[in-house]
Amino acid sequence: QVQLVESGGGSVQAGGSLSLSCSVSGDTDKYKTMGWFRQAPGKEREGVAAIDRVGRTMYADSVKGRFTVSQDNAKKTLSMQMNDLKPEDTATYYCAAGQWSVASIYSTFYDSWSQGTRVTVSS
């Protein structure tokens, strides 16, 4: 397995921007896709964005055009830039790693998860 450690997040007003990073360590060669997920209070976890080893991406409709996922394979870091944030983006955000070679926002493809970081967007 791999270990995932997030950084970033915080509080921002609507329309603002935040970035998240996720450092990956451990048996990274097995993992071919990385994703971002979020869970708001009282709601189920949902996929936000994903990127595979060759850079193919997938986004949830709710964040398309506002969020950008990227990775630095040499530095073993996953990032996500979040622009034009909305109050409904408020959630705990998680990064995840999966062994399937597919950029997917469905959690079934992932087996390693970070501890989560809070993002709060005020109106």
Side-chain angles (χ1 to χ4, degrees), residues 42-99:
K43 294 187 177 182
E44 293 187 355
R45 181 174 58 191
E46 62 174 350
V48 177
I51 186 167
D52 69 7
R53 187 68 64 87
V54 297
R56 291 173 297 201
T57 58
M58 182 178 184
Y59 293 93
D61 288 343
S62 59
V63 306
K64 281 181 181 176
R66 300 189 297 122
F67 290 13
T68 302
V69 62
S70 62
Q71 63 187 355
D72 185 327
N73 290 328
K75 295 182 179 179
K76 297 184 180 180
T77 302
L78 175 73
S79 300
M80 184 163 69
Q81 177 66 36
M82 305 183 291
N83 297 328
D84 189 24
L85 282 160
K86 303 176 181 181
E88 50 265 41
D89 295 318
T90 295
T92 298
Y93 283 71
Y94 303 87
C95 65
Q99 299 184 47

Side-chain angles (χ1 to χ4, degrees), residues 1 9 18 25 39 59 66 69 79-80 82 114-115 122:
Q1 287 200 339
L18 286 173
S25 62
Q39 187 167 20
Y59 293 93
R66 300 189 297 122
V69 62
S79 300
M80 184 163 69
M82 305 183 291
S114 69
Q115 78 285 359
S122 58

